[in-house]
Amino acid sequence: MKNILFIITFLSTYNFSFSQKLLKGKIYDFERVIPIEYCNIGVENKDLGSLSNSNGEFSLDTSQIAKNDTILFSHLGYKNFKVSFKKLKEKLKTKDTLFLSSSSIVLDDVKIENYKFSKKMIYGYDFRHPRVNWSFKNFRSGSEICRYFENKNILIIDKLIFQVNKNELKNLKLRVNFYDIVNGKPNEKLNIEDIFIETKHHQGRLKFNLKNYNIILDSDFFISLEAVDVEGNGEFLFGGEWFGENSEEGKTYARKSSFDVWADEFTTDGSNIKQKVPHSIAIRLKTRINTK
């Protein structure tokens, strides 16, 4: 029997046209007056958006944005900024820089010394289906894919592992996000600082050490990989896994921009028909669970 390459595309084609209208600006920290890199920028509940670059500069394609649409600016550690598209254009006409104010993050009094993280446990599958691929097609900053993990323990994350079946890029920079769950979907971010990883031109099983971030989780969660910067051209395929049609474990959601609606229906093998698929993105987590 032949091995059939099964490609799941979670980001539809996005073509820039010559009629594209760009709104450009900069996003800065209000108190320190420094650029905010990789700030999420987008239209609420639409697949239209972007991210600021490492210098805080951003450009937003306005060709499909209505004047009454709400534009959101969001970044960990800052208060969200919402503004109508009409008012945003007026602001940027007089000054090209916007400012975000820092937010106070209320943390639970969680101390690592209160736990005994001694028992090692692996979450996720062992990449048994190398012919199942998740395609990051036509990259856009802010595009994101996430996977559900069931968790009944208090655990700390040590290592993130995922499979790359094909990588023609010079480098892909990703932001790793952890989310809590509301109504079965990703909701609010659980990590309090940005976690960036880079794939370079590597493929196969990639491993990233997350010990220094002290990520402690005590319930079910989603982990996501968000594209923030891409170098080069070509195809990039994440490895995939079978999780079963009637199982929530491993369920995958994706969105094409930072404030788009999370979707769980995808096209497969070049088809234009979206459907739910019993496959997840292949992510494994090496953890230690509390035994105290």
Side-chain angles (χ1 to χ4, degrees):
M1 181 182 294
K2 293 182 179 179
N3 286 326
I4 299 175
L5 182 63
F6 185 62
I7 298 178
I8 303 166
T9 303
F10 60 90
L11 299 179
S12 60
T13 303
Y14 184 78
N15 294 317
F16 288 97
S17 66
F18 290 106
S19 62
Q20 184 187 28
K21 298 177 182 178
L22 294 178
L23 184 66
K24 296 183 179 181
K26 300 175 184 177
I27 189 77
Y28 269 58
D29 180 298
F30 178 76
E31 287 83 6
R32 295 179 292 168
V33 195
I34 58 174
I36 301 174
E37 65 173 0
Y38 308 124
C39 177
N40 295 101
I41 306 160
V43 181
E44 193 170 25
N45 297 323
K46 290 188 177 180
D47 62 347
L48 304 171
S50 183
L51 265 69
S52 61
N53 63 19
S54 57
N55 297 314
E57 301 164 335
F58 68 88
S59 61
L60 189 63
D61 178 14
T62 66
S63 56
Q64 299 180 62
I65 301 178
K67 65 179 181 180
N68 293 323
D69 278 340
T70 299
I71 311 299
L72 287 86
F73 293 78
S74 177
H75 195 284
L76 280 175
Y78 294 91
K79 295 176 182 177
N80 289 348
F81 174 57
K82 287 187 179 184
V83 62
S84 71
F85 175 54
K86 182 180 179 180
K87 288 185 177 180
L88 179 62
K89 287 197 298 182
E90 293 172 355
K91 281 178 176 287
L92 293 177
K93 279 181 182 179
T94 57
K95 194 172 183 180
D96 69 349
T97 303
L98 302 173
F99 293 90
L100 294 187
S101 298
S102 60
S103 62
S104 299
I105 301 176
V106 179
L107 300 176
D108 293 332
D109 187 20
V110 177
K111 297 180 180 180
I112 293 180
E113 55 266 29
N114 291 339
Y115 300 99
K116 184 179 182 181
F117 293 111
S118 57
K119 183 178 179 181
K120 295 181 179 180
M121 180 174 288
I122 294 176
Y123 283 71
Y125 305 113
D126 194 21
F127 312 137
R128 297 182 300 274
H129 295 277
R131 303 295 290 176
V132 176
N133 299 278
W134 285 83
S135 173
F136 234 134
K137 187 176 181 181
N138 296 317
F139 287 89
R140 290 170 61 185
S141 295
S143 301
E144 191 172 6
I145 183 169
C146 67
R147 181 196 188 284
Y148 170 83
F149 281 94
E150 183 179 1
N151 174 40
K152 304 301 181 185
N153 301 296
I154 299 174
L155 61 83
I156 189 166
I157 305 291
D158 283 344
K159 190 170 290 187
L160 164 67
I161 308 168
F162 60 85
Q163 180 75 17
V164 177
N165 287 343
K166 187 176 183 180
N167 184 3
E168 297 176 339
L169 302 175
K170 183 178 179 181
N171 186 34
L172 172 62
K173 188 172 186 177
L174 298 164
R175 177 159 44 199
V176 181
N177 301 310
F178 290 85
Y179 290 96
D180 66 6
I181 302 171
V182 171
N183 297 325
K185 292 185 178 182
N187 184 44
E188 297 289 337
K189 288 183 181 178
L190 295 170
N191 41 309
I192 60 172
E193 60 180 310
D194 279 334
I195 303 171
F196 294 113
I197 58 175
E198 299 187 26
T199 65
K200 303 298 184 182
H201 189 58
H202 302 307
Q203 61 185 52
R205 191 170 297 192
L206 305 188
K207 302 178 181 181
F208 301 92
N209 192 337
L210 302 185
K211 282 185 178 180
N212 292 337
Y213 295 97
N214 292 328
I215 302 165
I216 299 174
L217 303 169
D218 62 1
S219 60
D220 299 354
F221 61 92
F222 277 94
I223 181 173
S224 83
L225 300 174
E226 176 190 5
V228 296
D229 199 7
V230 60
E231 295 179 41
N233 297 299
E235 195 169 22
F236 188 96
L237 298 178
F238 286 109
E241 265 299 338
W242 168 272
F243 70 87
E245 295 181 357
N246 299 316
S247 172
E248 289 296 314
E249 172 69 25
K251 189 169 185 178
T252 296
Y253 284 92
R255 59 184 179 184
K256 291 180 279 185
S257 65
S258 305
F259 303 105
D260 193 11
V261 177
W262 289 103
D264 62 350
E265 293 185 341
F266 313 98
T267 59
T268 59
D269 298 322
S271 168
N272 290 321
I273 301 174
K274 290 186 177 181
Q275 58 184 315
K276 293 185 179 181
V277 294
H279 296 87
S280 66
I281 183 172
I283 293 178
R284 300 189 85 194
L285 295 170
K286 287 191 174 181
T287 75
R288 285 170 290 134
I289 65 173
N290 178 46
T291 57
K292 197 169 182 178

